[in-house]
Amino acid sequence: MKVSKFGGTSVANAEQIKKVAAIVKADSSRKFVVVSAPGKRFDADKKVTDLLIELANAAIHKENVEEKLKNVVDRYREIAEGLGLDQTICDVIEQDLRIRTLENKSNTELFIDNMKASGEDNNAKLISAYFTSVGMPAQYVNPKTAGLVVNDLPERAQALPEAYDNLSTLRNSSEIIVFPGFFGYTKDGVLRTFERGGSDITGSIVAAAVQADLYENFTDVDSVFCANPRVVNSPVEIEEITYREMRELSYAGFSVFHDEALMPVYKRGIPVCIKNTNNPSAPGTKIVAERKANRRPVTGISADNGFSILYVSKYLMNREIGFGRKLLQILEEEHISYEHTPSGLDDISVIMRSHQLTTEKEMRIIDRVLNELHAEDVHFRHDFSMIVVVGEGMNNSTGLAARAATAISRTGANIEMINQGSSEVSLAFGVHRSNEDKILRELYNEFFAPVTVG
Ligand code: ASP
């Protein structure tokens, strides 16, 4: 039994949805279909989720919502017409959106979550209607009815353990289940969405709950590349990758699969296959618990930007019990999570995602570190990138860090930070944003130059 999740571009228009139906029909073990909201049809297009955010903001600011509402309904109308469905489904969708726009707006986060979620919710209704119309008996299932319970974090909810038990009963359905991605409900019945791109997470939760044999994640590329193809020319395609490797890569820039989506399937050892809706016969990339060793110690290199560094120095910091805790506590109180904390004897850097910072927060943090921790130097630096070299083969291959550092030095860029995770599956370099692309290319040449046989 397979759970098949189709991303935004796979359900962006009628033609794509016909491909989805053909894929599901071709394999009777595809019992569960999880769908995103319609994504971009072409580069300059807007995702329905983004149209919905615009609609929500207009409603919050008491602007006229008619045009924005029409933009959303028109996307579904175009799809429904292309699929030969009658007007009924469009009326259902329009009615649903009108009700959502009239909901209470005193809690704007809650209102926006509810608006955003309609993208996948209505698409699931539409797709299930289409499946049924072409002789594939299907049933739309709402996450509330199915018991996908989540915690109360707006825009980044997480499933609660009982969600898995609740959803496991879906196994008994005789029809194909079409399930909307991206959201669940708190125990009090409040709708909460996952992070952006979070339909992958729903697919993974459903796959774990029904104990699927495979979680298929359909997107618009044949496989996961070992480096960003927009930066590196024709990078190597990855056939097989472990959960740990994928986790490290998707953390820093591999947007093909949401990093939070790995956990549910990983815990139950369910393999994942990333496949292409536009070329379903291509084998795709498999994510598994263990893979055969290949000749390369490195599986992939990712790069992501938008990092800031908080630098703190104080003489004899190493002897001061609790210094690190107190520093991190200040960040905790500002609701900031951190990524790495490389340190020396008398100094420590805390690396975090810049989007969490504001000028006021930075000033408050600097002030507190100076006054409460009596540090000598405290400052923020911005515009950093993280380049992460990932591979299961790295922990028994000597000299790898030296090779990576030498490759970076060839670009003339300065390494601001090096961090090797304890699992030795990854090696992270903090570098200035302006050097990101050339470093990625140089590392790619270092680790993925053609292997000579013999
Ligand atoms: N539609 C949502 C987004 O655009 C979730 C998803 O597609 O996975 O982020």
Side-chain angles (χ1 to χ4, degrees), residues 5 7-8 36-37 47 49-50 120 182 195-200:
K5 180 258 165 179
S36 280
K47 293 177 171 192
T49 309
D50 292 315
E120 346 295 282
F182 196 35
E195 273 189 2
R196 289 300 303 266
S199 296
D200 286 350

Side-chain angles (χ1 to χ4, degrees), residues 14 36 43 94 99 108 112 122 167 176 193 214-215 229-230 249 266 275 294 303 305 338 357 373 377 383 432 448:
S36 280
D43 255 4
E94 180 165 355
I99 293 171
T108 51
I112 294 178
N122 285 323
L167 291 168
I176 298 166
T193 59
L214 182 67
Y215 172 31
R230 276 191 288 263
L249 289 170
Y266 163 72
K275 285 178 77 77
N294 61 20
N305 44 59
Y338 67 93
L357 293 167
L373 303 186
D377 184 9
D383 278 333
H432 196 267
F448 290 95

Side-chain angles (χ1 to χ4, degrees), residues 34 68 95 114 133 196 276 284 297 319 322 374 376 388 391 418:
V34 176
K68 297 206 158 54
Q95 180 65 9
N114 193 33
S133 79
R196 289 300 303 266
N276 190 352
R319 299 239 198 112
H374 310 291
E376 279 134 24
V388 190
I418 303 184

Side-chain angles (χ1 to χ4, degrees), residues 262-282:
L262 277 170
M263 193 43 89
V265 278
Y266 163 72
K267 279 196 178 156
R268 289 160 184 83
I270 297 167
V272 183
C273 193
I274 314 265
K275 285 178 77 77
N276 190 352
T277 301
N278 305 317
N279 185 15
S281 57

Side-chain angles (χ1 to χ4, degrees), residues 283-322:
T285 297
K286 261 210 153 167
I287 311 176
V288 291
E290 272 173 45
R291 63 173 174 82
K292 290 179 256 60
N294 61 20
R295 299 168 127 203
R296 291 194 174 98
V298 173
T299 300
I301 310 169
S302 60
D304 200 8
N305 44 59
F307 291 91
S308 294
I309 303 183
L310 167 65
Y311 175 82
V312 180
S313 81
K314 184 180 182 188
Y315 187 53
L316 294 182
M317 182 190 284
N318 62 322
R319 299 239 198 112
E320 196 173 320
I321 293 171

